[in-house]
Amino acid sequence: MSVFLQSYFFIFLSPESTRWIHSEICISKMYLTMDESLETCREKHIIDSFNEVRQIVDFDWNWIALCLNKALPFSLVEACIDEPWDWTALSCHPSLTWTFVSKHMNKPWNWCILSSHQIVTCEVVIENLNLDWSWSELSFNRNMTWEFVYSFWFKPWDWDALSSHIKIDVETIASAYFFPWSWDNLCYNSDFIIDVVKIRKELNIFEASDFL
């Protein structure tokens, strides 16, 4: 049965712009689609309050869209923890903290996404080795250090990704040249300032013509 309500709906305009729209609509227990939201936004007043979700928690909110809102406060997620949040979307939220994740380990987090999140450090991984980390995605995480990678060299790292950003010096790379580095990616690694062509030549593991 439809009801006529005045309510607030989230819209996702772009990665840089997320806002709420204030609208009077006819609700028939259906989510407002993002396309409809975008069209409505052109005509309605925009506000920035999240109080309406807390006050009308049993309303048919677009929970996926809520999770995509960069301004979403995790105090609201905490207060409405049993609502149908999209935990994959929350896994990449910029305001997420490891404290929140560790407090709610029973939730269906996307560990592949979490593995590359800035909240995950080497210390976090070491203290939680039993978790379902994606070592491939950890390879893209700029918090990973060479010391950590070396300690877990037997894990399925993505060496192309590691080569493009990991902080490493020439002495280290010379002693660890047998790892499957991407020498091309090392050339673009701003934290590895060295003549990669020269060192490869000295180690006799390539021909200089490979770069020509």
Side-chain angles (χ1 to χ4, degrees):
M1 179 177 180
S2 297
V3 292
F4 194 77
L5 293 178
Q6 178 176 349
S7 211
Y8 294 94
F9 274 83
F10 166 89
I11 75 157
F12 185 68
L13 290 175
S14 70
E16 297 75 31
S17 176
T18 54
R19 291 295 186 269
W20 289 82
I21 60 170
H22 175 270
S23 62
E24 290 188 351
I25 61 169
C26 186
I27 305 164
S28 57
K29 293 187 177 180
M30 294 178 63
Y31 290 141
L32 188 65
T33 67
M34 289 189 182
D35 288 342
E36 289 169 341
S37 300
L38 188 59
E39 187 63 33
T40 307
C41 180
R42 298 191 180 103
E43 305 172 359
K44 300 297 179 179
H45 180 61
I46 295 177
I47 66 170
D48 294 307
S49 174
F50 285 87
N51 291 331
E52 289 72 24
V53 179
R54 191 192 298 262
Q55 294 169 2
I56 320 175
V57 72
D58 59 345
F59 185 72
D60 274 345
W61 296 104
N62 187 328
W63 293 94
I64 295 178
L66 277 171
C67 295
L68 292 172
N69 192 329
K70 290 183 178 181
L72 173 69
F74 273 78
S75 58
L76 174 62
V77 182
E78 183 74 64
C80 307
I81 196 67
D82 293 323
E83 297 307 316
W85 299 102
D86 185 290
W87 293 92
T88 290
L90 288 178
S91 296
C92 61
H93 198 283
S95 296
L96 180 65
T97 65
W98 180 252
T99 300
F100 186 87
V101 173
S102 58
K103 183 178 180 180
H104 299 287
M105 285 294 191
N106 60 321
K107 297 301 181 182
W109 297 102
N110 185 314
W111 288 96
C112 186
I113 293 175
L114 275 177
S115 296
S116 60
H117 199 292
Q118 61 185 358
I119 64 171
V120 174
T121 64
C122 299
E123 291 73 22
V124 166
V125 179
I126 290 174
E127 293 171 3
N128 299 276
L129 284 173
N130 60 310
L131 297 180
D132 192 20
W133 301 109
S134 166
W135 293 86
S136 176
E137 290 302 314
L138 281 172
S139 304
F140 289 89
N141 189 324
R142 291 182 175 272
N143 290 328
M144 298 299 103
T145 65
W146 170 245
E147 292 73 21
F148 177 78
V149 173
Y150 186 76
S151 297
F152 294 93
W153 61 268
F154 49 89
K155 295 294 186 180
W157 296 101
D158 182 325
W159 286 90
D160 284 353
L162 286 173
S163 300
S164 66
H165 71 80
I166 199 162
K167 294 181 180 179
I168 194 168
D169 56 36
V170 61
E171 290 77 15
T172 302
I173 201 72
S175 62
Y177 72 89
F178 46 84
F179 286 105
W181 300 102
S182 166
W183 296 91
D184 286 344
N185 287 356
L186 279 171
C187 291
Y188 296 99
N189 184 343
S190 60
D191 291 313
F192 182 58
I193 305 174
I194 189 63
D195 188 339
V196 179
V197 175
K198 179 179 179 181
I199 193 171
R200 286 184 64 184
K201 185 175 182 180
E202 291 176 351
L203 291 171
N204 295 317
I205 56 175
F206 86 115
E207 295 295 333
S209 59
D210 291 346
F211 280 83
L212 299 179

